[in-house]
Amino acid sequence: MKLLSREQVEDLSKFKSEDFLTTSFYLNSDKSQMRKKEIALSLKNLLSQSKSQVEQMDTGKKNKESLYKDLNKINRFCSQNLSSNNFSGLAIFSCSSQDFWQFFNLPSPPRNRIIFDRNPYVRPLSAILDEHHRIFALTLDRKEAKWYDIFMGEISLLDSHKEDVPSKVREGGWEGYESKRIERHVATHLHDNLKKIARITFKLFKQNHFDWIFLGCREKYSSDFEALLHPYIKDRIKGRLKATPSDSQATLLKESLELEKKLKKQEEDEIIPRLISELEKGGLAISGLKQTLRSLNQSEVQTLVVTRYFSQPGRKCPKCHFLFADELNCPSCQRKTDKMLDIIDEAVEAAMDKNCQVKHVTSPSKLNRYGKIGAFLRYKT
Ligand SMILES: [Zn+2]
């Protein structure tokens, strides 16, 4: 299935087997960057590396058998589906002994990797979700308007509207009073049409959960049109498009995706200085692994900020689900904690589970000096 929402990732991260490990598989299958042969070769290498990893693993025979089964199943699935698949990436989660199997087609390429852990490794999925916003794109001119939903690199038309607004061309011979009358008539007609478009915009926006609005509108109409928009909509206009209703969907999508990428980069550039200034004035922010895990455990986190590809083993309490950098026993219930392969992945899961935002920043960034991880807090205890 297609990766579309954080609910899918939350559901996936709920899977856990007490006795068996789960295989998480990520493959870059971007055919615009690689030939089919290259993709097949990296798949082969990835699988054979993982097979030898299983051979050397210090775990029971049954667990190993389950992992071998996972790898074979993944291999079979890829050879059947990879050549017809046009997505940039593929993620598969499997635990054969529990009949657990889920795959996702990804809109952007992940790093190739296979991870064996107690539960599905979802961090790359969260990073992809963070890259994409649900965009409401509107293009309009004097006669026509079109509304689109853009998400995960795909576009669909939500609605369109067309009205025969007369143009401002003077009919032959009209002068003086008559010509002014026609101009007034045209202006009223145009105004009414923009009003209609503003109303439909509000209606469509309310029906869906969009993050951003992109507006493609000729400059000569934009101030009139924006004056008619509900303030709630106006505040969410994040970018301007050159596209008009006569442009193709492909043109609009291309422009929107470029703009999304640019805005995302800006957002990323702004978040670290914002976090650091909050940290330095002792405000609602925290940094470093231990502190961040502590705040997560206490549900203080509003936005978790992690460095892409930064990972570290850690520990988790099987009872309270609290996360720790190195506590052998849970300070809250005194139970022995479980060793986790990547505590950052657990932190991302916990954050998603607690409805926090998760932001992934590219290294090197100034966050490196603050322990590569941090968070904005809702409150501080
Ligand atoms: Zn505990």
Side-chain angles (χ1 to χ4, degrees):
M1 71 177 120
K2 264 194 267 179
L3 176 68
L4 286 173
S5 69
R6 62 182 278 157
E7 286 76 25
Q8 289 173 321
V9 182
E10 281 168 22
D11 281 349
L12 176 68
S13 63
K14 286 194 186 107
F15 174 77
K16 197 182 171 207
S17 162
E18 288 299 329
D19 308 312
F20 295 95
L21 290 173
T22 300
T23 303
S24 301
F25 164 89
Y26 286 92
L27 184 74
N28 177 346
S29 61
D30 189 349
K31 287 178 187 138
S32 69
Q33 287 176 14
M34 286 176 296
R35 284 176 298 148
K36 278 185 192 175
K37 261 190 176 170
E38 290 174 279
I39 299 171
L41 185 65
S42 48
L43 170 69
K44 202 179 145 204
N45 289 338
L46 191 60
L47 288 169
S48 77
Q49 275 167 21
S50 302
K51 266 191 188 139
S52 29
Q53 196 189 330
V54 177
E55 272 163 35
Q56 287 156 19
M57 242 183 210
D58 181 25
T59 181
K61 197 175 157 218
K62 281 195 173 159
N63 208 348
K64 283 189 181 187
E65 273 168 13
S66 176
L67 295 176
Y68 285 132
K69 262 191 202 163
D70 292 344
L71 295 176
N72 288 335
K73 237 171 137 180
I74 290 168
N75 191 20
R76 224 174 312 137
F77 181 86
C78 288
S79 48
Q80 282 164 3
N81 294 287
L82 217 49
S83 63
S84 59
N85 180 319
N86 277 320
F87 291 93
S88 301
L90 179 66
I92 300 175
F93 306 90
S94 174
C95 181
S96 294
S97 56
Q98 303 284 304
D99 281 324
F100 180 75
W101 172 266
Q102 252 188 53
F103 75 92
F104 291 97
N105 292 313
L106 310 177
S108 36
R111 260 208 308 180
N112 288 338
R113 61 198 306 185
I114 291 179
I115 285 161
F116 306 114
D117 202 359
R118 292 168 177 271
N119 51 9
Y121 186 79
V122 300
R123 227 174 117 192
L125 298 183
S126 156
I128 289 172
L129 287 176
D130 180 36
E131 276 164 31
H132 293 88
H133 291 74
R134 184 158 224 129
I135 297 162
F136 183 48
L138 158 63
T139 57
L140 73 115
D141 60 19
R142 55 188 293 123
K143 291 185 178 180
E144 204 181 358
K146 284 180 180 165
W147 293 266
Y148 298 91
D149 180 352
I150 298 174
F151 190 51
M152 294 281 179
E154 291 189 19
I155 184 166
S156 58
L157 182 70
L158 287 169
D159 204 352
S160 63
H161 163 86
K162 205 167 186 173
E163 182 130 335
D164 204 13
V165 180
S167 60
K168 255 184 181 170
V169 180
R170 281 182 194 182
E171 304 285 327
W174 296 114
E175 274 178 22
Y177 173 76
E178 196 58 14
S179 132
K180 282 217 178 72
R181 194 187 65 83
I182 291 177
E183 264 182 41
R184 260 202 312 276
H185 170 73
V186 168
T188 314
H189 211 129
L190 178 64
H191 183 81
D192 287 349
N193 195 39
L194 291 180
K195 229 183 195 169
K196 241 182 241 172
I197 295 172
R199 248 196 329 262
I200 300 173
T201 303
F202 187 54
K203 190 191 86 190
L204 289 172
F205 189 83
K206 271 197 311 187
Q207 286 167 356
N208 300 275
H209 292 284
F210 294 106
D211 305 307
W212 288 349
I213 300 176
F214 288 177
L215 178 63
C217 173
R218 292 247 187 89
E219 215 164 310
K220 56 179 171 179
Y221 308 126
S222 66
S223 62
D224 284 347
F225 178 64
E226 283 177 37
L228 295 167
L229 282 173
H230 195 286
Y232 183 74
I233 301 281
K234 234 161 114 179
D235 290 346
R236 279 164 182 76
I237 298 178
K238 185 85 180 177
R240 315 272 158 177
L241 301 167
K242 287 196 193 82
T244 65
S246 54
D247 284 308
S248 70
Q249 283 200 17
T251 307
L252 178 69
L253 178 64
K254 189 166 175 274
E255 197 191 351
S256 302
L257 293 182
E258 277 163 14
L259 184 58
E260 182 187 26
K261 223 174 177 174
K262 205 176 102 189
L263 291 168
K264 175 66 201 154
K265 173 82 178 53
Q266 269 174 21
E267 201 181 77
E268 205 180 298
D269 291 346
E270 282 161 14
I271 198 164
I272 300 301
R274 195 151 62 81
L275 183 72
I276 291 173
S277 106
E278 201 62 29
L279 284 169
E280 282 174 356
K281 70 177 185 208
L284 287 174
I286 210 89
S287 71
L289 186 59
K290 274 191 182 177
Q291 294 280 18
T292 306
L293 294 178
R294 200 183 71 97
S295 295
L296 254 181
N297 292 343
Q298 307 200 338
S299 299
E300 294 168 358
V301 171
Q302 182 180 57
T303 304
L304 179 69
V305 186
V306 298
T307 301
R308 252 174 248 271
Y309 310 135
F310 161 53
S311 73
Q312 196 169 301
R315 307 196 69 95
K316 182 175 181 177
C317 172
K319 185 162 174 262
C320 328
H321 305 295
F322 284 168
L323 306 176
F324 306 102
D326 48 18
E327 300 279 358
L328 295 176
N329 296 301
C330 173
S332 165
C333 71
Q334 312 307 323
R335 278 220 191 181
K336 188 178 175 294
T337 54
D338 290 331
K339 195 174 170 209
M340 305 310 283
L341 209 60
D342 179 6
I343 199 70
I344 317 296
D345 185 55
E346 304 301 323
V348 167
E349 276 175 31
M352 291 179 82
D353 196 41
K354 291 171 196 262
N355 254 323
C356 315
Q357 275 197 306
V358 183
K359 296 283 167 198
H360 300 255
V361 299
T362 307
S363 181
S365 77
K366 283 191 179 151
L367 189 59
N368 285 0
R369 279 192 242 150
Y370 292 81
K372 298 185 178 178
I373 187 166
F376 291 98
L377 305 179
R378 294 180 222 267
Y379 54 87
K380 226 173 181 176
T381 49

